[in-house]
Amino acid sequence: LDLNVDDGMIDGVKAMGTFLKIAMTEPDICKVPFMIDSSKFHIIEAGLQFVQGKCIVNSISLKGGEAEFLKQARIIKRYGAAVIVMA
């Protein structure tokens, strides 16, 4: 299940958290693999806090520089998530 809440009209952190809190309480839904997707890393990190089990982050890249990439990769690793890396 690919979840992306990027929209200028909504609070992405709140929307991500609300959806995932609900999804994690549904027995049939919480078993499905989740892909957390956003162009804003703080929204991705908010989503990682709510997912139970392993999920996938879509995606991080080096366009923000190597230091930012490594910082994001460490955060993702801390949550035990897999990641798609854009070259």
Side-chain angles (χ1 to χ4, degrees), residues 29-63:
I29 297 173
C30 70
K31 296 175 188 172
V32 174
F34 282 83
M35 181 174 290
I36 307 298
D37 188 356
S38 179
S39 60
K40 300 170 184 93
F41 190 76
H42 67 280
I43 296 174
I44 291 173
E45 189 172 6
L48 289 170
Q49 295 172 13
F50 293 101
V51 175
Q52 299 172 4
K54 192 169 191 111
C55 72
I56 304 166
V57 171
N58 182 20
S59 63
I60 61 174
S61 73
L62 285 164
K63 68 180 166 185

Side-chain angles (χ1 to χ4, degrees), residues 1-2 7-8 21 26 33 44 59-60 68 71 82 84-85:
L1 180 63
D2 188 341
D7 189 302
K21 280 186 223 177
E26 293 293 328
I44 291 173
S59 63
I60 61 174
E68 185 66 19
K71 177 183 170 189
I84 296 171
V85 177

